Amino acid sequence: MPVISYELPERFVAGAVGAPGDRAFYLQARSGRRVTSVGLEKFQVTLLAERLEELLDEVLRRGGGEAPVPAATPAGLRDDGPLDQPVEEEFKVGTMALAWDPEDEQVVIEAQEVTEGEEDAEVGEDDPAIAVLRVRITAAQARAFAERALQVVAAGRPPCPLCGLPLDTEGHVCPRQNGYLG
C-alpha cells in the first residue's frame, strides 16, 4: 500500500463510532472530497493527543514565545462535528510518530499500518506492503486536534469513584470492594 499523504487538510480529527464501552476509534483526514479514515485504539488516541500537546509546548518554550504555536486552541478551529460518513477504515494503526518541521513550521503525524512484525518495523520505512497515513498540519490545527481527541476519549464510560476503572451499565467488579459489583 502507498503512503497516503495530506498537506494541510481541511479537516484532521480523531473520532469514535458506537456506544460507550463498545466504540471504535478513528483518525480521519479530509481534503475536498477525499476522505481517509484509519482505525486505532483508544489509548493510541490519548497518547497521540498528549504527545502533540507536549511537542507544541516544547516548541513554544524553545521559541521563547516567538514560535508560531498558540498556547491554546483558537476558537475558530474547534471541531465538534461527527466523523465524515461513511467511515471506511483504510487500515488499523500500529506505530505512530510525530515531529515538528521547523522549516515549514508544521507538525508531521505519521500513522503506520499494524504489521505482524511490528517491533521490527520503523515508521516511514519504505515498504510498499505497509500503508502509512502522513498528515502535515499547522500548530493551531494540532492544538485543535489534541483538544478534540481528549474530549472524544473522555466521552466514554464514567469511571468508578473507588477504583477508577470504567463502569458498565450493569455495574462492574470493583477491586476496591473485594470483587463485589459496584
Side-chain angles (χ1 to χ4, degrees):
M1 285 192 155
V3 173
I4 305 165
S5 187
Y6 283 84
E7 298 281 331
L8 299 173
E10 295 165 12
R11 187 174 196 224
F12 179 61
V13 296
V17 175
D22 193 30
R23 297 187 297 167
F25 291 85
Y26 297 92
L27 295 180
Q28 191 175 75
R30 181 186 75 215
S31 284
R33 299 177 81 188
R34 180 177 167 226
V35 177
T36 302
S37 302
V38 296
L40 70 169
E41 299 296 326
K42 180 180 179 178
F43 79 90
Q44 290 174 299
V45 175
T46 302
L47 287 174
L48 179 57
E50 289 173 351
R51 296 301 180 266
L52 266 173
E53 290 284 343
E54 290 171 10
L55 174 69
L56 295 171
D57 291 345
E58 182 64 17
V59 170
L60 190 59
R61 186 188 66 76
R62 287 187 182 194
E66 299 297 316
V69 177
T73 301
L77 290 180
R78 286 195 171 87
D79 181 348
D80 297 324
L83 293 172
D84 291 324
Q85 298 295 321
V87 178
E88 296 174 356
E89 183 178 296
E90 296 285 330
F91 61 85
K92 195 71 149 172
V93 174
T95 306
M96 291 187 293
L98 61 112
W100 173 254
D101 180 350
E103 199 170 297
D104 292 332
E105 298 179 332
Q106 294 176 350
V107 174
V108 181
I109 300 168
E110 290 190 353
Q112 180 175 296
E113 180 179 23
V114 68
T115 61
E116 288 195 31
E118 185 83 1
E119 60 279 352
D120 299 331
E122 291 188 28
V123 173
E125 211 174 76
D126 291 333
D127 183 345
I130 300 173
V132 175
L133 172 65
R134 181 177 297 136
V135 180
R136 298 177 68 87
I137 55 178
T138 66
Q141 287 174 308
R143 283 277 188 218
F145 173 91
E147 181 180 285
R148 176 193 166 111
L150 292 173
Q151 289 172 350
V152 166
V153 169
R157 296 175 288 170
C160 170
L162 298 175
C163 69
L165 294 173
L167 290 172
D168 290 324
T169 53
E170 308 84 45
H172 82 118
V173 179
C174 181
R176 290 253 169 139
Q177 291 186 352
N178 293 324
Y180 291 98
L181 283 176

